[in-house]
Amino acid sequence: MHWPLIAEQIAAASGEPFSPSAPRSVGGGCINSAYQLADGERAYFVKINQGETLAMFEAEAAGLAELAAAAGPRVPRPLCTGTAGSQAFIVMEWIDLGRQRGDSAAEAGRQLARLHECTREDFGWDRDNTIGSTAQPNTPRADWVSFWREQRLGFQLKLAARQGYGGRLRERGTRLLEVLPALLDHDPAPSLLHGDLWGGNIGYDDQGAPVIFDPAVYFGDREADLAMTELFGGFGGDFYAAYREAWPLSPGYGTRKALYNLYHILNHLNLFGRGYLSQAEALIERLLAEARG
Ligand code: ADP
């Protein structure tokens, strides 16, 4: 690891000298090596990976900046990205993650609704990014159905076919893409989304205030963020009650939840393998049945 080179780039980006002591390794991530890098006064959170992941870190920094500019939950402020030797890195504000207070989960629900109130004209984003380590295309589209069809489900189904999960998954998946208009007829607004909001990507600062990190930002149906919170659980009833009080959901969310989480299940199939195949196929069958009414 080229820590002196990283420290130099931190000093240049912050405009202040930075002579850190030895980095401290941080666990809990899925994709990258993570560290705390600190001198007596300032502390940063640094993620490191192979050099070719620079674009991934640049997109993460842009996503954090986009979220930070909205009135939603706290996010770590990004400082810089770069390369050092054969490695790429991202540096952001260090936040001491602690424990929830009594009202932390409700606060997270309210603040997520506020984040989702940040909307724009088109679905997508100014740049592509990644979901886990998989590419996530974000070419702007005015129509949500085509966006979800081409850039979310269709894209993952193609990746799956390339990895050998063709056959039935492909055939039934293609059928699902054809009937999407019947499942997505609720006319959502393009809301700013975290994009990868599972329980491992939310924490609470030392005041108990929610912090979201490691995003896969784009503008999309807010229900896609909520669906992801339910995929692996951990958010609790107070969170959902507060969200719905701030911004009630439209009828039919239960079906769309499955459709939105199918994207993440397909991504898990592509990242982690065959263990997710039967779950993906079962979800597709359920959605096809719902579309037939
Ligand atoms: P990965 O990209 O490898 O999945 P994450 O961004 O999820 O890594 O970060 C790994 C862990 O580091 C998180 O689960 C969280 O506990 C902690 N963490 C993330 N961001 C910060 C931060 N800004 N300050 C302190 N700890 C953080």
Side-chain angles (χ1 to χ4, degrees), residues 1-14 18-20 23 33 35 37 44-49 79-85 87-92:
M1 226 71 81
H2 299 270
W3 292 110
L5 285 177
I6 295 175
E8 255 172 47
Q9 293 182 63
I10 290 176
S14 63
F18 185 58
S19 308
S33 312
Y35 300 87
L37 196 59
Y44 294 102
F45 181 69
V46 183
K47 292 201 286 190
I48 296 192
N49 208 322
L79 179 71
C80 60
T81 56
T83 53
Q87 293 179 308
F89 64 85
I90 179 170
V91 179
M92 65 191 80

PDB file of all heavy atoms in Angstrom, residues 1-14 18-20 23 33 35 37 44-49 79-85 87-92:
ATOM      1  N   MET A   1       0.853  -1.205   0.000  1.00  0.00           N
ATOM      2  CA  MET A   1       0.000   0.000   0.000  1.00  0.00           C
ATOM      3  C   MET A   1       0.876   1.238   0.000  1.00  0.00           C
ATOM      4  O   MET A   1       1.840   1.329   0.765  1.00  0.00           O
ATOM      5  CB  MET A   1      -0.864  -0.011   1.269  1.00  0.00           C
ATOM      6  CG  MET A   1      -2.288   0.304   1.015  1.00  0.00           C
ATOM      7  SD  MET A   1      -3.189  -1.001   0.147  1.00  0.00           S
ATOM      8  CE  MET A   1      -3.587  -2.130   1.481  1.00  0.00           C
ATOM      9  N   HIS A   2       0.527   2.213  -0.802  1.00  0.00           N
ATOM     10  CA  HIS A   2       1.365   3.419  -0.934  1.00  0.00           C
ATOM     11  C   HIS A   2       0.785   4.539  -0.078  1.00  0.00           C
ATOM     12  O   HIS A   2       0.297   5.547  -0.585  1.00  0.00           O
ATOM     13  CB  HIS A   2       1.419   3.839  -2.396  1.00  0.00           C
ATOM     14  CG  HIS A   2       2.008   2.790  -3.289  1.00  0.00           C
ATOM     15  ND1 HIS A   2       3.349   2.704  -3.570  1.00  0.00           N
ATOM     16  CD2 HIS A   2       1.426   1.755  -3.930  1.00  0.00           C
ATOM     17  CE1 HIS A   2       3.570   1.674  -4.361  1.00  0.00           C
ATOM     18  NE2 HIS A   2       2.417   1.071  -4.589  1.00  0.00           N
ATOM     19  N   TRP A   3       0.853   4.368   1.230  1.00  0.00           N
ATOM     20  CA  TRP A   3       0.211   5.340   2.123  1.00  0.00           C
ATOM     21  C   TRP A   3       0.767   6.754   1.990  1.00  0.00           C
ATOM     22  O   TRP A   3      -0.012   7.722   2.016  1.00  0.00           O
ATOM     23  CB  TRP A   3       0.258   4.848   3.567  1.00  0.00           C
ATOM     24  CG  TRP A   3      -0.627   3.642   3.758  1.00  0.00           C
ATOM     25  CD1 TRP A   3      -0.264   2.360   3.976  1.00  0.00           C
ATOM     26  CD2 TRP A   3      -2.062   3.627   3.687  1.00  0.00           C
ATOM     27  NE1 TRP A   3      -1.355   1.535   4.056  1.00  0.00           N
ATOM     28  CE2 TRP A   3      -2.481   2.295   3.883  1.00  0.00           C
ATOM     29  CE3 TRP A   3      -3.034   4.601   3.473  1.00  0.00           C
ATOM     30  CZ2 TRP A   3      -3.825   1.920   3.875  1.00  0.00           C
ATOM     31  CZ3 TRP A   3      -4.369   4.232   3.475  1.00  0.00           C
ATOM     32  CH2 TRP A   3      -4.753   2.902   3.662  1.00  0.00           C
ATOM     33  N   PRO A   4       2.101   6.921   1.844  1.00  0.00           N
ATOM     34  CA  PRO A   4       2.600   8.300   1.708  1.00  0.00           C
ATOM     35  C   PRO A   4       2.001   9.017   0.498  1.00  0.00           C
ATOM     36  O   PRO A   4       1.662  10.198   0.573  1.00  0.00           O
ATOM     37  CB  PRO A   4       4.122   8.111   1.559  1.00  0.00           C
ATOM     38  CG  PRO A   4       4.396   6.791   2.187  1.00  0.00           C
ATOM     39  CD  PRO A   4       3.191   5.942   1.923  1.00  0.00           C
ATOM     40  N   LEU A   5       1.817   8.269  -0.632  1.00  0.00           N
ATOM     41  CA  LEU A   5       1.215   8.892  -1.820  1.00  0.00           C
ATOM     42  C   LEU A   5      -0.241   9.278  -1.550  1.00  0.00           C
ATOM     43  O   LEU A   5      -0.723  10.322  -2.004  1.00  0.00           O
ATOM     44  CB  LEU A   5       1.249   7.908  -3.002  1.00  0.00           C
ATOM     45  CG  LEU A   5       2.595   7.687  -3.678  1.00  0.00           C
ATOM     46  CD1 LEU A   5       2.462   6.639  -4.779  1.00  0.00           C
ATOM     47  CD2 LEU A   5       3.099   9.006  -4.238  1.00  0.00           C
ATOM     48  N   ILE A   6      -0.950   8.418  -0.825  1.00  0.00           N
ATOM     49  CA  ILE A   6      -2.356   8.721  -0.508  1.00  0.00           C
ATOM     50  C   ILE A   6      -2.420   9.929   0.431  1.00  0.00           C
ATOM     51  O   ILE A   6      -3.224  10.850   0.228  1.00  0.00           O
ATOM     52  CB  ILE A   6      -3.046   7.481   0.105  1.00  0.00           C
ATOM     53  CG1 ILE A   6      -3.106   6.366  -0.954  1.00  0.00           C
ATOM     54  CG2 ILE A   6      -4.439   7.818   0.614  1.00  0.00           C
ATOM     55  CD1 ILE A   6      -3.651   5.038  -0.469  1.00  0.00           C
ATOM     56  N   ALA A   7      -1.529   9.952   1.434  1.00  0.00           N
ATOM     57  CA  ALA A   7      -1.515  11.083   2.374  1.00  0.00           C
ATOM     58  C   ALA A   7      -1.222  12.393   1.646  1.00  0.00           C
ATOM     59  O   ALA A   7      -1.837  13.427   1.934  1.00  0.00           O
ATOM     60  CB  ALA A   7      -0.485  10.832   3.477  1.00  0.00           C
ATOM     61  N   GLU A   8      -0.322  12.329   0.663  1.00  0.00           N
ATOM     62  CA  GLU A   8      -0.006  13.543  -0.121  1.00  0.00           C
ATOM     63  C   GLU A   8      -1.243  14.049  -0.858  1.00  0.00           C
ATOM     64  O   GLU A   8      -1.498  15.249  -0.919  1.00  0.00           O
ATOM     65  CB  GLU A   8       1.008  13.182  -1.221  1.00  0.00           C
ATOM     66  CG  GLU A   8       2.419  13.646  -0.981  1.00  0.00           C
ATOM     67  CD  GLU A   8       3.344  13.058  -2.039  1.00  0.00           C
ATOM     68  OE1 GLU A   8       2.998  13.111  -3.247  1.00  0.00           O
ATOM     69  OE2 GLU A   8       4.399  12.517  -1.650  1.00  0.00           O
ATOM     70  N   GLN A   9      -2.004  13.109  -1.431  1.00  0.00           N
ATOM     71  CA  GLN A   9      -3.183  13.525  -2.191  1.00  0.00           C
ATOM     72  C   GLN A   9      -4.284  14.046  -1.262  1.00  0.00           C
ATOM     73  O   GLN A   9      -5.054  14.929  -1.630  1.00  0.00           O
ATOM     74  CB  GLN A   9      -3.671  12.375  -3.078  1.00  0.00           C
ATOM     75  CG  GLN A   9      -2.631  12.094  -4.180  1.00  0.00           C
ATOM     76  CD  GLN A   9      -3.055  10.988  -5.141  1.00  0.00           C
ATOM     77  OE1 GLN A   9      -4.047  11.120  -5.837  1.00  0.00           O
ATOM     78  NE2 GLN A   9      -2.285   9.910  -5.190  1.00  0.00           N
ATOM     79  N   ILE A  10      -4.330  13.503  -0.036  1.00  0.00           N
ATOM     80  CA  ILE A  10      -5.286  14.032   0.952  1.00  0.00           C
ATOM     81  C   ILE A  10      -4.895  15.467   1.319  1.00  0.00           C
ATOM     82  O   ILE A  10      -5.753  16.370   1.380  1.00  0.00           O
ATOM     83  CB  ILE A  10      -5.321  13.138   2.218  1.00  0.00           C
ATOM     84  CG1 ILE A  10      -5.973  11.794   1.873  1.00  0.00           C
ATOM     85  CG2 ILE A  10      -6.056  13.830   3.359  1.00  0.00           C
ATOM     86  CD1 ILE A  10      -5.978  10.776   3.001  1.00  0.00           C
ATOM     87  N   ALA A  11      -3.589  15.682   1.521  1.00  0.00           N
ATOM     88  CA  ALA A  11      -3.124  17.030   1.874  1.00  0.00           C
ATOM     89  C   ALA A  11      -3.449  18.006   0.740  1.00  0.00           C
ATOM     90  O   ALA A  11      -3.944  19.115   0.976  1.00  0.00           O
ATOM     91  CB  ALA A  11      -1.619  17.000   2.152  1.00  0.00           C
ATOM     92  N   ALA A  12      -3.225  17.572  -0.512  1.00  0.00           N
ATOM     93  CA  ALA A  12      -3.490  18.456  -1.654  1.00  0.00           C
ATOM     94  C   ALA A  12      -4.989  18.770  -1.754  1.00  0.00           C
ATOM     95  O   ALA A  12      -5.386  19.914  -1.970  1.00  0.00           O
ATOM     96  CB  ALA A  12      -2.994  17.803  -2.940  1.00  0.00           C
ATOM     97  N   ALA A  13      -5.832  17.743  -1.568  1.00  0.00           N
ATOM     98  CA  ALA A  13      -7.280  17.944  -1.726  1.00  0.00           C
ATOM     99  C   ALA A  13      -7.861  18.789  -0.592  1.00  0.00           C
ATOM    100  O   ALA A  13      -8.799  19.558  -0.808  1.00  0.00           O
ATOM    101  CB  ALA A  13      -7.990  16.596  -1.789  1.00  0.00           C
ATOM    102  N   SER A  14      -7.311  18.630   0.613  1.00  0.00           N
ATOM    103  CA  SER A  14      -7.881  19.363   1.752  1.00  0.00           C
ATOM    104  C   SER A  14      -7.211  20.714   1.941  1.00  0.00           C
ATOM    105  O   SER A  14      -7.705  21.565   2.670  1.00  0.00           O
ATOM    106  CB  SER A  14      -7.745  18.534   3.038  1.00  0.00           C
ATOM    107  OG  SER A  14      -6.367  18.343   3.329  1.00  0.00           O
ATOM    108  N   PHE A  18      -0.923  16.860   6.062  1.00  0.00           N
ATOM    109  CA  PHE A  18      -1.514  15.657   6.666  1.00  0.00           C
ATOM    110  C   PHE A  18      -0.428  14.607   6.836  1.00  0.00           C
ATOM    111  O   PHE A  18       0.122  14.105   5.854  1.00  0.00           O
ATOM    112  CB  PHE A  18      -2.638  15.138   5.749  1.00  0.00           C
ATOM    113  CG  PHE A  18      -3.403  13.971   6.327  1.00  0.00           C
ATOM    114  CD1 PHE A  18      -4.059  14.076   7.550  1.00  0.00           C
ATOM    115  CD2 PHE A  18      -3.473  12.760   5.637  1.00  0.00           C
ATOM    116  CE1 PHE A  18      -4.774  13.003   8.077  1.00  0.00           C
ATOM    117  CE2 PHE A  18      -4.180  11.678   6.156  1.00  0.00           C
ATOM    118  CZ  PHE A  18      -4.835  11.811   7.383  1.00  0.00           C
ATOM    119  N   SER A  19      -0.078  14.299   8.091  1.00  0.00           N
ATOM    120  CA  SER A  19       0.936  13.280   8.383  1.00  0.00           C
ATOM    121  C   SER A  19       0.326  12.224   9.278  1.00  0.00           C
ATOM    122  O   SER A  19       0.419  12.294  10.503  1.00  0.00           O
ATOM    123  CB  SER A  19       2.138  13.905   9.106  1.00  0.00           C
ATOM    124  OG  SER A  19       2.599  15.001   8.384  1.00  0.00           O
ATOM    125  N   PRO A  20      -0.332  11.252   8.663  1.00  0.00           N
ATOM    126  CA  PRO A  20      -1.084  10.273   9.459  1.00  0.00           C
ATOM    127  C   PRO A  20      -0.195   9.266  10.177  1.00  0.00           C
ATOM    128  O   PRO A  20       0.924   8.990   9.736  1.00  0.00           O
ATOM    129  CB  PRO A  20      -1.929   9.562   8.403  1.00  0.00           C
ATOM    130  CG  PRO A  20      -1.158   9.690   7.139  1.00  0.00           C
ATOM    131  CD  PRO A  20      -0.419  10.983   7.217  1.00  0.00           C
ATOM    132  N   PRO A  23      -2.220   3.316   9.363  1.00  0.00           N
ATOM    133  CA  PRO A  23      -3.647   3.117   9.083  1.00  0.00           C
ATOM    134  C   PRO A  23      -4.223   1.970   9.911  1.00  0.00           C
ATOM    135  O   PRO A  23      -3.520   1.017  10.229  1.00  0.00           O
ATOM    136  CB  PRO A  23      -3.665   2.755   7.602  1.00  0.00           C
ATOM    137  CG  PRO A  23      -2.278   2.386   7.258  1.00  0.00           C
ATOM    138  CD  PRO A  23      -1.362   3.038   8.208  1.00  0.00           C
ATOM    139  N   SER A  33     -10.887  -3.072   0.443  1.00  0.00           N
ATOM    140  CA  SER A  33     -10.227  -3.005   1.750  1.00  0.00           C
ATOM    141  C   SER A  33     -10.476  -1.604   2.290  1.00  0.00           C
ATOM    142  O   SER A  33     -10.357  -0.622   1.552  1.00  0.00           O
ATOM    143  CB  SER A  33      -8.723  -3.187   1.626  1.00  0.00           C
ATOM    144  OG  SER A  33      -8.442  -4.287   0.826  1.00  0.00           O
ATOM    145  N   TYR A  35      -9.975   1.382   5.541  1.00  0.00           N
ATOM    146  CA  TYR A  35      -9.063   1.803   6.609  1.00  0.00           C
ATOM    147  C   TYR A  35      -9.504   3.133   7.199  1.00  0.00           C
ATOM    148  O   TYR A  35     -10.134   3.947   6.533  1.00  0.00           O
ATOM    149  CB  TYR A  35      -7.642   2.004   6.053  1.00  0.00           C
ATOM    150  CG  TYR A  35      -7.074   0.758   5.440  1.00  0.00           C
ATOM    151  CD1 TYR A  35      -7.327   0.462   4.093  1.00  0.00           C
ATOM    152  CD2 TYR A  35      -6.308  -0.127   6.197  1.00  0.00           C
ATOM    153  CE1 TYR A  35      -6.823  -0.697   3.518  1.00  0.00           C
ATOM    154  CE2 TYR A  35      -5.800  -1.287   5.631  1.00  0.00           C
ATOM    155  CZ  TYR A  35      -6.061  -1.573   4.285  1.00  0.00           C
ATOM    156  OH  TYR A  35      -5.570  -2.714   3.725  1.00  0.00           O
ATOM    157  N   LEU A  37      -7.574   6.449   8.339  1.00  0.00           N
ATOM    158  CA  LEU A  37      -6.270   7.099   8.240  1.00  0.00           C
ATOM    159  C   LEU A  37      -6.394   8.423   8.987  1.00  0.00           C
ATOM    160  O   LEU A  37      -7.225   9.264   8.632  1.00  0.00           O
ATOM    161  CB  LEU A  37      -5.936   7.341   6.764  1.00  0.00           C
ATOM    162  CG  LEU A  37      -4.474   7.648   6.438  1.00  0.00           C
ATOM    163  CD1 LEU A  37      -3.552   6.508   6.894  1.00  0.00           C
ATOM    164  CD2 LEU A  37      -4.297   7.886   4.933  1.00  0.00           C
ATOM    165  N   TYR A  44      -9.863  10.155   8.283  1.00  0.00           N
ATOM    166  CA  TYR A  44     -10.531   9.868   7.015  1.00  0.00           C
ATOM    167  C   TYR A  44     -10.819   8.376   6.911  1.00  0.00           C
ATOM    168  O   TYR A  44     -10.120   7.540   7.499  1.00  0.00           O
ATOM    169  CB  TYR A  44      -9.655  10.281   5.833  1.00  0.00           C
ATOM    170  CG  TYR A  44      -9.444  11.763   5.760  1.00  0.00           C
ATOM    171  CD1 TYR A  44      -8.244  12.339   6.185  1.00  0.00           C
ATOM    172  CD2 TYR A  44     -10.459  12.605   5.299  1.00  0.00           C
ATOM    173  CE1 TYR A  44      -8.064  13.712   6.136  1.00  0.00           C
ATOM    174  CE2 TYR A  44     -10.286  13.976   5.243  1.00  0.00           C
ATOM    175  CZ  TYR A  44      -9.081  14.521   5.665  1.00  0.00           C
ATOM    176  OH  TYR A  44      -8.910  15.874   5.622  1.00  0.00           O
ATOM    177  N   PHE A  45     -11.860   8.082   6.121  1.00  0.00           N
ATOM    178  CA  PHE A  45     -12.193   6.709   5.778  1.00  0.00           C
ATOM    179  C   PHE A  45     -11.679   6.484   4.355  1.00  0.00           C
ATOM    180  O   PHE A  45     -12.018   7.255   3.448  1.00  0.00           O
ATOM    181  CB  PHE A  45     -13.713   6.514   5.850  1.00  0.00           C
ATOM    182  CG  PHE A  45     -14.181   5.121   5.538  1.00  0.00           C
ATOM    183  CD1 PHE A  45     -13.912   4.070   6.403  1.00  0.00           C
ATOM    184  CD2 PHE A  45     -14.905   4.861   4.376  1.00  0.00           C
ATOM    185  CE1 PHE A  45     -14.359   2.772   6.120  1.00  0.00           C
ATOM    186  CE2 PHE A  45     -15.351   3.567   4.091  1.00  0.00           C
ATOM    187  CZ  PHE A  45     -15.075   2.534   4.974  1.00  0.00           C
ATOM    188  N   VAL A  46     -10.836   5.460   4.184  1.00  0.00           N
ATOM    189  CA  VAL A  46     -10.185   5.229   2.885  1.00  0.00           C
ATOM    190  C   VAL A  46     -10.515   3.818   2.408  1.00  0.00           C
ATOM    191  O   VAL A  46     -10.349   2.853   3.170  1.00  0.00           O
ATOM    192  CB  VAL A  46      -8.647   5.362   3.023  1.00  0.00           C
ATOM    193  CG1 VAL A  46      -7.971   5.187   1.661  1.00  0.00           C
ATOM    194  CG2 VAL A  46      -8.258   6.701   3.625  1.00  0.00           C
ATOM    195  N   LYS A  47     -10.983   3.700   1.163  1.00  0.00           N
ATOM    196  CA  LYS A  47     -11.202   2.372   0.577  1.00  0.00           C
ATOM    197  C   LYS A  47     -10.218   2.193  -0.566  1.00  0.00           C
ATOM    198  O   LYS A  47      -9.967   3.125  -1.341  1.00  0.00           O
ATOM    199  CB  LYS A  47     -12.634   2.233   0.056  1.00  0.00           C
ATOM    200  CG  LYS A  47     -13.657   2.224   1.175  1.00  0.00           C
ATOM    201  CD  LYS A  47     -14.986   1.592   0.759  1.00  0.00           C
ATOM    202  CE  LYS A  47     -15.802   2.464  -0.134  1.00  0.00           C
ATOM    203  NZ  LYS A  47     -17.175   1.924  -0.325  1.00  0.00           N
ATOM    204  N   ILE A  48      -9.704   0.979  -0.671  1.00  0.00           N
ATOM    205  CA  ILE A  48      -8.649   0.687  -1.641  1.00  0.00           C
ATOM    206  C   ILE A  48      -9.006  -0.556  -2.442  1.00  0.00           C
ATOM    207  O   ILE A  48      -9.592  -1.499  -1.908  1.00  0.00           O
ATOM    208  CB  ILE A  48      -7.317   0.471  -0.887  1.00  0.00           C
ATOM    209  CG1 ILE A  48      -6.957   1.785  -0.197  1.00  0.00           C
ATOM    210  CG2 ILE A  48      -6.208  -0.001  -1.815  1.00  0.00           C
ATOM    211  CD1 ILE A  48      -5.599   1.877   0.354  1.00  0.00           C
ATOM    212  N   ASN A  49      -8.653  -0.522  -3.730  1.00  0.00           N
ATOM    213  CA  ASN A  49      -8.868  -1.689  -4.586  1.00  0.00           C
ATOM    214  C   ASN A  49      -7.852  -1.632  -5.735  1.00  0.00           C
ATOM    215  O   ASN A  49      -7.002  -0.735  -5.765  1.00  0.00           O
ATOM    216  CB  ASN A  49     -10.319  -1.688  -5.108  1.00  0.00           C
ATOM    217  CG  ASN A  49     -10.829  -3.087  -5.400  1.00  0.00           C
ATOM    218  OD1 ASN A  49     -10.073  -3.935  -5.890  1.00  0.00           O
ATOM    219  ND2 ASN A  49     -12.088  -3.340  -5.102  1.00  0.00           N
ATOM    220  N   LEU A  79     -13.765  13.321  -0.147  1.00  0.00           N
ATOM    221  CA  LEU A  79     -12.664  14.289  -0.269  1.00  0.00           C
ATOM    222  C   LEU A  79     -11.950  14.141  -1.603  1.00  0.00           C
ATOM    223  O   LEU A  79     -11.773  15.105  -2.327  1.00  0.00           O
ATOM    224  CB  LEU A  79     -11.664  14.106   0.882  1.00  0.00           C
ATOM    225  CG  LEU A  79     -10.472  15.063   0.792  1.00  0.00           C
ATOM    226  CD1 LEU A  79     -10.895  16.494   1.098  1.00  0.00           C
ATOM    227  CD2 LEU A  79      -9.328  14.626   1.702  1.00  0.00           C
ATOM    228  N   CYS A  80     -11.506  12.937  -1.942  1.00  0.00           N
ATOM    229  CA  CYS A  80     -10.804  12.764  -3.221  1.00  0.00           C
ATOM    230  C   CYS A  80     -10.764  11.287  -3.610  1.00  0.00           C
ATOM    231  O   CYS A  80     -11.047  10.400  -2.799  1.00  0.00           O
ATOM    232  CB  CYS A  80      -9.376  13.319  -3.143  1.00  0.00           C
ATOM    233  SG  CYS A  80      -8.328  12.539  -1.905  1.00  0.00           S
ATOM    234  N   THR A  81     -10.436  11.064  -4.880  1.00  0.00           N
ATOM    235  CA  THR A  81     -10.175   9.718  -5.388  1.00  0.00           C
ATOM    236  C   THR A  81      -8.863   9.798  -6.161  1.00  0.00           C
ATOM    237  O   THR A  81      -8.450  10.891  -6.554  1.00  0.00           O
ATOM    238  CB  THR A  81     -11.276   9.258  -6.361  1.00  0.00           C
ATOM    239  OG1 THR A  81     -11.381  10.215  -7.407  1.00  0.00           O
ATOM    240  CG2 THR A  81     -12.616   9.110  -5.678  1.00  0.00           C
ATOM    241  N   GLY A  82      -8.235   8.665  -6.383  1.00  0.00           N
ATOM    242  CA  GLY A  82      -7.001   8.705  -7.162  1.00  0.00           C
ATOM    243  C   GLY A  82      -6.363   7.334  -7.238  1.00  0.00           C
ATOM    244  O   GLY A  82      -6.973   6.315  -6.852  1.00  0.00           O
ATOM    245  N   THR A  83      -5.147   7.322  -7.764  1.00  0.00           N
ATOM    246  CA  THR A  83      -4.390   6.073  -7.800  1.00  0.00           C
ATOM    247  C   THR A  83      -3.063   6.286  -7.068  1.00  0.00           C
ATOM    248  O   THR A  83      -2.543   7.407  -7.009  1.00  0.00           O
ATOM    249  CB  THR A  83      -4.093   5.615  -9.241  1.00  0.00           C
ATOM    250  OG1 THR A  83      -3.479   6.695  -9.943  1.00  0.00           O
ATOM    251  CG2 THR A  83      -5.356   5.198  -9.958  1.00  0.00           C
ATOM    252  N   ALA A  84      -2.564   5.195  -6.532  1.00  0.00           N
ATOM    253  CA  ALA A  84      -1.254   5.203  -5.882  1.00  0.00           C
ATOM    254  C   ALA A  84      -0.618   3.873  -6.256  1.00  0.00           C
ATOM    255  O   ALA A  84      -1.123   2.809  -5.855  1.00  0.00           O
ATOM    256  CB  ALA A  84      -1.406   5.337  -4.365  1.00  0.00           C
ATOM    257  N   GLY A  85       0.440   3.925  -7.052  1.00  0.00           N
ATOM    258  CA  GLY A  85       1.019   2.688  -7.564  1.00  0.00           C
ATOM    259  C   GLY A  85      -0.017   1.964  -8.395  1.00  0.00           C
ATOM    260  O   GLY A  85      -0.704   2.560  -9.217  1.00  0.00           O
ATOM    261  N   GLN A  87      -2.775   0.763  -7.317  1.00  0.00           N
ATOM    262  CA  GLN A  87      -4.073   0.727  -6.645  1.00  0.00           C
ATOM    263  C   GLN A  87      -4.869   2.013  -6.813  1.00  0.00           C
ATOM    264  O   GLN A  87      -4.296   3.077  -7.062  1.00  0.00           O
ATOM    265  CB  GLN A  87      -3.849   0.421  -5.173  1.00  0.00           C
ATOM    266  CG  GLN A  87      -3.315  -0.994  -5.030  1.00  0.00           C
ATOM    267  CD  GLN A  87      -3.041  -1.360  -3.616  1.00  0.00           C
ATOM    268  OE1 GLN A  87      -2.340  -0.630  -2.923  1.00  0.00           O
ATOM    269  NE2 GLN A  87      -3.580  -2.471  -3.200  1.00  0.00           N
ATOM    270  N   ALA A  88      -6.182   1.865  -6.684  1.00  0.00           N
ATOM    271  CA  ALA A  88      -7.066   3.028  -6.707  1.00  0.00           C
ATOM    272  C   ALA A  88      -7.641   3.211  -5.314  1.00  0.00           C
ATOM    273  O   ALA A  88      -7.756   2.250  -4.543  1.00  0.00           O
ATOM    274  CB  ALA A  88      -8.184   2.807  -7.718  1.00  0.00           C
ATOM    275  N   PHE A  89      -8.021   4.462  -4.984  1.00  0.00           N
ATOM    276  CA  PHE A  89      -8.572   4.701  -3.643  1.00  0.00           C
ATOM    277  C   PHE A  89      -9.633   5.795  -3.689  1.00  0.00           C
ATOM    278  O   PHE A  89      -9.706   6.594  -4.618  1.00  0.00           O
ATOM    279  CB  PHE A  89      -7.461   5.093  -2.664  1.00  0.00           C
ATOM    280  CG  PHE A  89      -6.779   6.387  -3.009  1.00  0.00           C
ATOM    281  CD1 PHE A  89      -7.309   7.606  -2.592  1.00  0.00           C
ATOM    282  CD2 PHE A  89      -5.620   6.400  -3.774  1.00  0.00           C
ATOM    283  CE1 PHE A  89      -6.703   8.803  -2.927  1.00  0.00           C
ATOM    284  CE2 PHE A  89      -5.006   7.600  -4.117  1.00  0.00           C
ATOM    285  CZ  PHE A  89      -5.549   8.807  -3.696  1.00  0.00           C
ATOM    286  N   ILE A  90     -10.463   5.788  -2.645  1.00  0.00           N
ATOM    287  CA  ILE A  90     -11.403   6.881  -2.377  1.00  0.00           C
ATOM    288  C   ILE A  90     -11.198   7.294  -0.932  1.00  0.00           C
ATOM    289  O   ILE A  90     -10.991   6.430  -0.061  1.00  0.00           O
ATOM    290  CB  ILE A  90     -12.872   6.462  -2.647  1.00  0.00           C
ATOM    291  CG1 ILE A  90     -13.830   7.621  -2.346  1.00  0.00           C
ATOM    292  CG2 ILE A  90     -13.280   5.237  -1.840  1.00  0.00           C
ATOM    293  CD1 ILE A  90     -15.274   7.363  -2.809  1.00  0.00           C
ATOM    294  N   VAL A  91     -11.232   8.596  -0.687  1.00  0.00           N
ATOM    295  CA  VAL A  91     -11.090   9.126   0.671  1.00  0.00           C
ATOM    296  C   VAL A  91     -12.328   9.943   0.993  1.00  0.00           C
ATOM    297  O   VAL A  91     -12.773  10.745   0.170  1.00  0.00           O
ATOM    298  CB  VAL A  91      -9.853  10.048   0.776  1.00  0.00           C
ATOM    299  CG1 VAL A  91      -9.724  10.609   2.193  1.00  0.00           C
ATOM    300  CG2 VAL A  91      -8.588   9.308   0.371  1.00  0.00           C
ATOM    301  N   MET A  92     -12.872   9.711   2.161  1.00  0.00           N
ATOM    302  CA  MET A  92     -14.029  10.500   2.594  1.00  0.00           C
ATOM    303  C   MET A  92     -13.926  10.789   4.084  1.00  0.00           C
ATOM    304  O   MET A  92     -13.070  10.229   4.778  1.00  0.00           O
ATOM    305  CB  MET A  92     -15.331   9.750   2.272  1.00  0.00           C
ATOM    306  CG  MET A  92     -15.511   8.472   3.030  1.00  0.00           C
ATOM    307  SD  MET A  92     -16.884   7.459   2.416  1.00  0.00           S
ATOM    308  CE  MET A  92     -16.153   6.666   0.991  1.00  0.00           C
TER     309      MET A  92
END
